[in-house]
Amino acid sequence: MVFAAWGNPSGLLMFLVCALVVVFVTNVPSAVAKSGNAAPAAFNGRNDVFTSSFLVRFRRSVDNDLAGEVAARYGFDNIGPLVGGNGNEYHFKHRTLPHARTRRSITHTRLLKSHPLVHTAVQQPGFKRVKRGLRPAIPAIHGLPFESTFGAKPIGLEPSDPYFPLQWYLKNTGQNGGKMRLDLNVQAAWDQGITGKNVTTAIMDDGVDYMHPDLKFNYNAEASYDFSSNDPFPYPRYTDDWFNSHGTRCAGEVAAARDNGICGVGVAYDSKIAGIRMLDQPYMTDLIEANSMGHEPHKIHIYSASWGPTDDGKTVDGPRNATMRAIVQGVNEGRNGLGNIYVWASGDGGEEDDCNCDGYAASMWTISINSAINDGQNAHYDESCSSTLASTFSNGAKDPNTGVATTDLYGKCTTTHSGTSAAAPEAAGVFALALEANPSLTWRDIQHLTVLTSKRNSLFDAKNRFHWTMNGVGLEFNHLFGFGVLDAGAMVTLSKQWRSVPARYHCEAGEIVEPNPIYTGRSMFLEIKTDSCKGTDTEVNYLEHVQAVISANATRRGDLELFLTSPMGTRSMILSRRANDDDHRDGFTKWPFMTTHSWGEYPHGTWKLEARFNSPQPRSGWLIEWSLVLHGTKEAPYRTLSPASPHSKLAIVKKAHEDRKMK
């Protein structure tokens, strides 16, 4: 076995083990750059797309000026150093190559490599990333008078913003058929004087209308950038159908101003938002993603992403090398060592997709957020998976046009924002409140607080597939909703007395490398017995995330289901059937299926993996290898905290931990 510490800068090296992803190049989106350049035609099937961007590695660290001289010599522009590249990796873009082509340019690669300082030059593949959320072709737009009503915000008073009565996710009074008090409980946080001050959330999207009167006073220009056009002005590109309204809508959910007579109010209305424009282009590259996720990590506290691989139920994709490095560096070094918080929309593929096949949402370094509608049901587009940590809200039950009320382009407002796109920024706003309440919270503290303060409330699976279940230490979870709906008041209250959790470690608990056949009609079971690294410096006794890193293939990948059962008996579905996935060739290669359902459990003992086909048709396949990776702490994480109530999650988990130590 190999053991290594996690949660410190050395953990950066471990992403190769713990975040391996399968890379599939898919169609190129038909968006065009902000400059108005036409996009190339989409490339269909598995044809590769190569962009005009190159990752250039120098033989030693060089400054930006020298890199620029090398770039100019061969007809390139130096876009800048790569996040996490230690000064020897740069992003070059060729001035005349097309935005995307079907073949690599060997000529330009050789030119760059001919320079004595250049070690390698890699032309960047292009791939597809899509915005999440239901968007009508022409959004519902409402103009409002902009008379100011700024003033004091007395505790207990509701915001006077004209759209606040429509913001049922902030205060659910049963409007539009909703369930009373099924909301984010933000008033309880605001009543404590916590409104998001001194916290910045970056909206990684298609731009932000930073001139919007409900956003402009909360806009952090210093932390903003446009990685699609390479300038400091991430303003959305105009289209007739307002396709690029996505980021502005997400920004309003976090930080729309209060009591100014405009639109509604943000969850953290005194916080700041930064715009990182990176989606609106003919293709995505690893370099754009990496630089976006590592932009100004000490000025930005939270990164909110409402996008990902295509939600078509047949895509298996995730972050590439440079992007993964940027995220790992962010959680290890961002916010002056406390770690950046990455919030991710879990996906809109519905029951035909599984968000564990999305390497961004399923990453243990991100917080994956699903959505519910205003009567407590899951939305029809919600994906389910074992990596989802918690949920917020999307649209209304009786009227699908009653979505999230928020800011829209050009000073307008909308009531039709929805999807898990709407859910992730709401979570970012709640986390901004927690960070104001306790600026010393680490990225892991935020995840622990999420688990301990999220509520089951009235959430339920509309089709009765997934029930609320208790894990081995008494934490209630649901395969759709994670640990429940975020509760801003409870999170702020607990944040104020919080003490950071102990150091985190990872343990490679065991592996099975011989292939095992899988057939229709019966399950295949494998077991790994582990002491969870007992007696070593990286012993794990209290779980956070669990990864089953699996290689498998099948005559039809979409019919394969996988289940992981912990020694304390918690059964996680780590892969569900995906009806649209006809793959018979690629399968999964060292894919890190992740579950949060065993949070807080004792990992020592036998872990069981079940593989089966869910299909009336004959299927066969092989589970080629399985390695079990445990992430958590050696010491009890909540030993210094005093629960406010003996019935709280904190009290229940503490008692379970104390009982185990006495055995």
Side-chain angles (χ1 to χ4, degrees):
M1 297 184 190
V2 180
F3 312 107
W6 201 264
N8 53 58
S10 66
L12 176 62
L13 301 176
M14 293 307 304
F15 80 94
L16 290 172
V17 175
C18 301
L20 292 167
V21 295
V22 182
V23 176
F24 296 105
V25 178
T26 54
N27 296 345
V28 179
S30 59
V32 297
K34 189 165 67 172
S35 61
N37 295 328
F43 297 105
N44 296 315
R46 294 177 53 85
N47 294 335
D48 289 338
V49 176
F50 297 101
T51 71
S52 55
S53 291
F54 288 71
L55 171 61
V56 178
R57 291 189 179 94
F58 288 89
R59 298 185 183 276
R60 59 174 174 81
S61 179
V62 300
D63 61 31
N64 202 52
D65 290 340
L66 180 54
E69 291 176 12
V70 174
R73 178 182 297 186
Y74 303 112
F76 287 82
D77 290 320
N78 172 29
I79 305 304
L82 189 65
V83 169
N86 298 319
N88 70 329
E89 293 182 334
Y90 280 80
H91 179 187
F92 285 8
K93 192 174 181 68
H94 199 271
R95 295 167 186 165
T96 60
L97 274 175
H99 289 294
R101 49 185 282 164
T102 55
R103 291 184 297 174
R104 292 188 186 273
S105 176
I106 305 300
T107 301
H108 292 90
T109 303
R110 286 176 176 168
L111 276 174
L112 287 169
K113 291 174 68 173
S114 69
H115 194 283
L117 282 177
V118 173
H119 182 261
T120 58
V122 181
Q123 189 173 6
Q124 293 296 287
F127 46 86
K128 188 175 183 180
R129 293 292 177 260
V130 296
K131 308 168 195 177
R132 288 175 173 156
L134 302 177
R135 295 178 303 276
I138 303 296
I141 303 159
H142 308 274
L144 287 171
F146 295 145
E147 61 270 12
S148 175
T149 56
F150 281 116
K153 307 171 182 80
I155 288 175
L157 289 186
E158 293 182 1
S160 63
D161 304 83
Y163 274 30
F164 179 72
L166 304 177
Q167 294 183 288
W168 50 267
Y169 55 97
L170 301 182
K171 183 173 183 179
N172 196 334
T173 61
Q175 64 269 54
N176 195 50
K179 181 82 171 177
M180 287 186 66
R181 291 183 291 280
L182 176 60
D183 53 43
L184 296 174
N185 193 25
V186 294
Q187 189 68 52
W190 297 343
D191 286 350
Q192 298 179 57
I194 300 299
T195 55
K197 293 179 287 292
N198 302 314
V199 179
T200 293
T201 298
I203 306 298
M204 298 189 296
D205 214 287
D206 55 16
V208 170
D209 180 0
Y210 46 80
M211 294 186 288
H212 194 293
D214 213 15
L215 297 175
K216 64 181 181 181
F217 295 112
N218 285 341
Y219 178 67
N220 187 339
E222 289 184 359
S224 300
Y225 198 75
D226 187 329
F227 287 98
S228 291
S229 295
N230 299 306
D231 61 57
F233 309 107
Y235 197 82
R237 178 182 57 86
Y238 175 79
T239 64
D240 289 339
D241 61 357
W242 287 34
F243 180 70
N244 292 318
S245 61
H246 199 249
T248 301
R249 295 179 175 189
C250 293
E253 292 179 86
V254 178
R258 173 173 172 155
D259 295 335
N260 63 348
I262 306 167
C263 299
V265 62
V267 172
Y269 55 77
D270 280 330
S271 68
K272 300 291 185 184
I273 49 107
I276 295 181
R277 181 172 175 265
M278 43 85 76
L279 280 185
D280 183 27
Q281 56 208 340
Y283 50 83
M284 180 56 70
T285 69
D286 190 20
L287 301 186
I288 290 175
E289 282 190 358
N291 282 324
S292 298
M293 293 182 206
H295 181 65
E296 296 289 1
H298 305 305
K299 295 180 180 177
I300 293 170
H301 302 80
I302 303 164
Y303 296 81
S304 180
S306 291
W307 51 270
T310 307
D311 289 327
D312 57 8
K314 56 187 177 182
T315 297
V316 179
D317 200 358
R320 271 67 167 173
N321 190 318
T323 300
M324 186 59 68
R325 279 193 297 165
I327 295 174
V328 173
Q329 184 168 328
V331 298
N332 280 316
E333 301 174 18
R335 287 197 305 131
N336 300 307
L338 295 173
N340 298 121
I341 293 100
Y342 294 89
V343 184
W344 225 276
S346 62
D348 287 354
E351 60 184 280
E352 295 182 336
D353 208 347
D354 186 303
C355 39
N356 250 353
C357 292
D358 174 346
Y360 301 87
S363 169
M364 59 191 176
W365 295 300
T366 68
I367 300 177
S368 179
I369 299 294
N370 208 350
S371 76
I373 56 182
N374 66 349
D375 66 353
Q377 298 182 60
N378 60 295
H380 69 87
Y381 44 74
D382 285 342
E383 294 181 31
S384 62
C385 65
S386 58
S387 56
T388 295
L389 199 63
S391 299
T392 56
F393 298 101
S394 50
N395 55 280
K398 298 200 176 232
D399 180 1
N401 292 320
T402 303
V404 168
T406 182
T407 50
D408 212 341
L409 288 175
Y410 317 125
K412 304 296 184 181
C413 316
T414 183
T415 60
T416 62
H417 190 42
S418 67
T420 56
S421 274
E426 291 170 20
V430 172
F431 300 149
L433 297 174
L435 290 182
E436 185 201 345
N438 185 346
S440 298
L441 296 174
T442 68
W443 69 279
R444 289 176 50 234
D445 291 335
I446 289 289
Q447 295 206 20
H448 279 271
L449 285 162
T450 298
V451 171
L452 292 177
T453 62
S454 296
K455 302 291 195 300
R456 173 177 176 173
N457 205 309
S458 303
L459 302 183
F460 66 99
D461 176 13
K463 293 191 176 180
N464 204 32
R465 298 165 301 158
F466 303 118
H467 303 283
W468 287 91
T469 306
M470 202 150 307
N471 76 3
V473 292
L475 289 172
E476 205 171 23
F477 68 89
N478 185 284
H479 191 68
L480 270 166
F481 303 114
F483 291 95
V485 64
L486 292 181
D487 185 318
M491 183 174 282
V492 163
T493 298
L494 188 54
S495 294
K496 288 180 175 180
Q497 62 139 324
W498 190 259
R499 298 293 181 269
S500 286
V501 291
R504 181 180 198 233
Y505 302 101
H506 99 280
C507 165
E508 293 184 23
E511 62 179 354
I512 293 175
V513 294
E514 63 270 18
N516 286 269
I518 315 166
Y519 300 107
T520 304
R522 66 177 186 268
S523 292
M524 187 273 293
F525 293 91
L526 297 175
E527 294 184 355
I528 290 178
K529 188 173 183 179
T530 179
D531 64 0
S532 59
C533 307
K534 186 176 182 180
T536 72
D537 291 339
T538 57
E539 183 175 347
V540 175
N541 292 320
Y542 303 90
L543 283 173
E544 293 175 6
H545 307 89
V546 179
Q547 290 176 307
V549 183
I550 289 173
S551 295
N553 59 35
T555 52
R556 191 176 189 278
R557 184 175 64 185
D559 291 334
L560 181 64
E561 293 184 333
L562 298 170
F563 301 85
L564 183 68
T565 303
S566 75
M568 296 189 80
T570 300
R571 188 171 187 254
S572 300
M573 176 185 277
I574 58 174
L575 176 66
S576 60
R577 181 177 185 269
R578 300 200 304 163
N580 296 332
D581 188 355
D582 292 323
D583 171 79
H584 64 278
R585 180 174 63 177
D586 294 311
F588 297 99
T589 304
K590 294 185 181 295
W591 188 263
F593 294 96
M594 193 267 278
T595 179
T596 62
H597 295 168
S598 291
W599 199 280
E601 289 188 352
Y602 181 52
H604 187 285
T606 300
W607 289 80
K608 299 177 183 178
L609 179 69
E610 176 186 356
R612 72 185 188 193
F613 286 111
N614 182 351
S615 172
Q617 304 298 322
R619 309 292 186 205
S620 63
W622 291 87
L623 199 143
I624 300 166
E625 59 179 323
W626 164 39
S627 60
L628 178 67
V629 188
L630 308 173
H631 305 269
T633 62
K634 181 178 181 179
E635 303 298 329
Y638 315 128
R639 62 189 185 278
T640 62
L641 295 174
S642 299
S645 162
H647 305 294
S648 68
K649 282 188 180 182
L650 176 58
I652 292 168
V653 176
K654 281 196 71 173
K655 186 177 185 307
H657 289 172
E658 289 164 3
D659 290 347
R660 189 193 66 79
K661 289 186 73 173
M662 292 176 65
K663 291 180 181 179

